[in-house]
């Protein structure tokens, strides 16, 4: 637990700083520096399609690492060739997927040439970005199995966003044209994989030679079978993420993709603590399954849910109560994403409230059930988007995703409860929701404060955010809804001699 807490805190700090940079990019830099919403939409499209491309190529090996590495772990034997397996087979998969990607070019061109011609122009740029996305996913999974998560978080959540800001500034100042901006944008997002290789070399863990006994440690049939299910499960989840972008682009164009993904990204702050913890929790859950320590897993399940929900609700309140202030900094047309923030914010809170259900299913011997749920999720997302996007646009896409994500997570909780006799909820979950309701009411009662500092709503943001934090934090601490929060505050006070 100490390893989880330490790396989780560091990951959260780095991700939070990165989120600040990401907000600057999303709210100010890209909308104003690129100017054209279609150009902003193209950057979002590239970042949506490359993970799907990479997951097709990965063949489930990102999940295989979490499940099987505990059996391969032996530094003296170079982990029995595990990294070689992690890289070799997905690279063959990448070659196959690239051929299919090129064969699909005429159909894609026909589908998007009217509504999103810019995406057609930069079709081939997806290939190198997807390759380095795949390489980073594999190396990140391997490093997480080694309980190393800080560097990847820094690269993905902070450094790439700084590089993106620099690229946009170079374009805005006229030093490069848009084509060179896209090239540098891809280089910035690809640099994470190369730095991970350097990091592994520094750790002396970059073992790329095949192991003599690597197929004997775990039955190859079991590895292949799990990899197949994990592959299909990963593809299902990635397709869900990509579907909204692809269908909006088809029906409405790249400009609406920019508005949708901007709102989508703004709500991603809610998942910062959840994702930060998950980077170290995945191998921890695998180890607990190996040790068959189900009571410890049940405690981890409930404790992490409480911590994530505590922080996530505060972040959601901070975003939604300031939604008008956020859009005041952006070009007026981006306010079309207002209800994207609401619906996706609710979906993310529900994801936090249901805890580690997906990770537990995927890591356990019941991983087939998560595949079934992912397949159902894909079908529902496509169907609901088909019904809602033509009429309700990006708000319809967000509402569809919210309904589907809530539906699927309910079933995940049911499956985990049925198979492992554990569930993430307690009275503290209900109490946190009540505290959030009271905090929202306090913010709603506060009138809009006048604009200052050049007509910006900075005063209202500052006062409203302080009010939200004071009411929410005060109630959470006073009602002792989270032992982790109260213990953390007490330790801090003791450290500075302010408590006995």
């Amino acid at each position: 637990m100490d390893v989880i807490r330490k790396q989780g805190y560091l990951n959260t700090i780095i991700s939070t700083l990165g989120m600040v940079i990401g907000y600057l990019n999303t709210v100010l830099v890209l909308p104003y520096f690129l100017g054209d919403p279609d150009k902003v939409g193209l950057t979002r499209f590239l970042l949506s399609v490359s993970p799907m491309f990479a997951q097709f190529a990965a063949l489930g090996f990102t999940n295989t690492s979490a499940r099987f590495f505990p059996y391969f772990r032996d530094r003296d034997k170079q982990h029995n060739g595990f990294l070689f397996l992690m890289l070799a087979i997905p690279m063959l998969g990448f070659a196959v997927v690239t051929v299919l990607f090129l064969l699909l070019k005429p159909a894609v061109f026909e589908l998007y040439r009217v509504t999103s011609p810019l995406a057609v122009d930069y079709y081939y740029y997806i290939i190198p970005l997807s390759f380095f996305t795949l390489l980073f996913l594999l190396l990140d999974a391997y490093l997480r199995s080694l309980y190393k998560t800080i560097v990847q978080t820094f690269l993905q959540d902070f450094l790439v966003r700084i590089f993106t800001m620099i690229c946009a500034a170079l374009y805005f100042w006229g030093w490069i044209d848009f084509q060179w901006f896209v090239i540098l944008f891809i280089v910035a997002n690809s640099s994470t994989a190369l730095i991970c290789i350097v990091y592994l070399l520094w750790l002396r863990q970059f073992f790329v030679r095949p192991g003599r006994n690597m197929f004997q440690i775990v039955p190859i049939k079991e590895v292949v079978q799990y990899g197949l299910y994990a592959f299909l499960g990963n593809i299902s989840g990635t397709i869900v993420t990509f579907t909204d972008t692809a269908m909006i682009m088809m029906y409405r164009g790249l400009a609406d993709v920019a508005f949708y993904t901007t709102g989508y990204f703004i709500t991603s702050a809610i998942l910062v603590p959840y994702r930060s913890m998950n980077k170290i929790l995945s191998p921890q859950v695998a180890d607990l399954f190996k040790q068959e320590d189900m009571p410890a897993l049940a405690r981890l399940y409930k404790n992490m849910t409480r911590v994530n929900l505590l922080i996530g609700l505060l972040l959601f309140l901070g975003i939604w109560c300031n939604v008008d202030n956020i859009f005041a900094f952006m070009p007026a047309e981006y306010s079309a994403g207002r209800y994207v923030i609401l619906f996706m914010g609710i979906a993310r809170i529900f994801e936090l409230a249901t805890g580690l259900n997906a990770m537990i299913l995927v890591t356990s011997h019941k991983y087939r059930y998560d595949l079934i749920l992912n397949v159902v999720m894909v079908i529902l997302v496509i169907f609901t988007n088909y019904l809602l996007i033509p009429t309700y646009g990006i708000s319809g896409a967000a509402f569809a995703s919210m309904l589907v994500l809530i539906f699927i997570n309910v079933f995940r909780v049911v499956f985990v409860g049925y198979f492992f006799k554990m569930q993430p909820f307690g009275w503290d979950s209900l109490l946190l929701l009540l505290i959030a309701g009271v905090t929202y009411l306090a913010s709603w009662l506060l009138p809009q404060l006048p604009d200052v500092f050049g007509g910006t709503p900075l005063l209202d943001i500052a006062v409203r955010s302080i009010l939200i934090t004071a009411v929410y934090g005060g109630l959470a601490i006073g009602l002792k809804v989270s032992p982790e929060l109260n213990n953390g505050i007490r330790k801090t006070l003791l450290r500075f001699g302010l408590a006995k």
Side-chain angles (χ1 to χ4, degrees), residues 20-41:
V20 173
I21 304 300
Y23 267 60
L24 290 175
N25 283 340
T26 301
V27 174
L28 296 174
V29 175
L30 293 179
Y32 286 108
F33 282 20
L34 298 187
D36 186 353
D38 279 0
K39 293 177 179 178
V40 178

Side-chain angles (χ1 to χ4, degrees), residues 52 64-65 89 108 116 141 160 172 186 191 213 231 311 320 332 365-366 408 424 437 440 444 458 464 484:
M52 187 183 73
T64 300
S65 175
I89 296 177
V108 174
S116 306
V160 165
F172 179 73
I186 291 173
S191 63
N213 301 317
F231 161 65
I311 301 172
W320 183 244
H365 61 286
K366 299 294 184 180
I408 293 300
Y440 176 77
W444 181 75
L458 290 175
R464 196 170 300 276
E484 294 84 2

Side-chain angles (χ1 to χ4, degrees), residues 168-422:
L170 292 175
Y171 173 75
F172 179 73
W173 292 330
W175 294 3
I176 57 175
D177 60 17
F178 184 70
Q179 183 178 15
W180 268 105
F181 164 78
V182 175
I183 293 172
L184 293 178
F185 177 79
I186 291 173
V187 170
N189 282 274
S190 302
S191 63
T192 56
L194 300 176
I195 297 174
C196 279
I197 293 176
V198 174
Y199 180 48
L200 281 167
L201 288 170
W202 181 75
L203 292 172
R204 298 182 181 178
Q205 296 275 10
F206 193 61
F207 305 131
V208 292
R209 288 189 297 180
R212 183 175 300 177
N213 301 317
M214 61 185 181
F215 294 116
Q216 299 174 7
I217 295 172
V218 177
I220 189 63
K221 179 181 179 182
E222 183 178 350
V223 175
V224 172
Q225 185 180 44
Y226 180 82
L228 177 62
Y229 276 99
F231 161 65
L232 295 173
N234 279 348
I235 290 303
S236 300
T238 306
I239 287 177
V240 169
T241 305
F242 174 72
T243 296
D244 288 350
T245 300
M247 294 187 72
I248 290 170
M249 193 167 71
M250 180 176 67
Y251 284 115
R252 317 284 291 200
L254 279 173
D256 273 34
V257 169
F259 307 148
Y260 178 83
T261 54
T262 296
Y264 191 95
F265 175 81
I266 287 172
T267 65
S268 63
I270 298 168
L271 294 181
V272 165
Y274 176 75
R275 289 173 176 166
S276 299
M277 290 291 184
N278 277 6
K279 291 177 181 180
I280 193 65
L281 284 174
S282 181
Q284 181 78 4
V285 170
D287 283 341
L288 289 174
F289 269 117
K290 180 186 176 184
Q291 299 162 13
E292 299 182 355
D293 192 348
M294 304 312 291
L297 182 58
R299 289 194 299 272
L300 182 68
Y301 188 23
K302 185 162 289 188
N303 291 343
M304 289 301 101
T305 298
R306 181 172 56 241
V307 171
N308 288 331
L309 188 58
L310 172 72
I311 301 172
L313 280 170
L314 176 61
L315 294 172
F316 175 66
L317 288 168
I319 292 169
W320 183 244
C321 294
N322 281 295
V323 66
D324 292 328
N325 292 330
I326 293 172
F327 284 123
F329 288 99
M330 305 176 69
E333 60 265 33
Y334 281 81
S335 62
R338 176 187 181 88
Y339 288 104
V340 175
I341 293 176
L342 176 63
F343 297 141
M344 291 311 303
I346 293 172
R348 293 182 190 280
I349 288 297
F350 199 84
E351 188 173 354
L352 291 174
T354 52
L356 307 177
N357 48 30
M359 185 187 300
I360 291 173
L361 281 177
V362 168
T363 311
S364 74
H365 61 286
K366 299 294 184 180
Y367 54 83
R368 297 174 183 83
Y369 289 91
D370 195 64
L371 166 64
I372 294 170
L373 289 176
N374 278 325
V375 171
V376 172
M377 182 162 55
V378 170
I379 295 171
L380 289 176
V381 166
I382 293 174
F383 178 69
T384 52
N385 274 328
Y386 174 77
L387 290 178
L388 296 177
I389 290 178
T391 303
Y392 300 103
I394 60 176
S395 297
F399 186 75
S401 294
M402 179 191 71
L403 291 179
V404 172
L405 288 171
I406 290 175
F407 176 79
I408 293 300
N409 275 300
V410 166
F411 273 89
R412 281 180 174 147
V413 170
V414 170
F415 284 161
V416 171
Y418 178 76
F419 291 125
F420 306 110
K421 304 299 183 288
M422 63 180 73

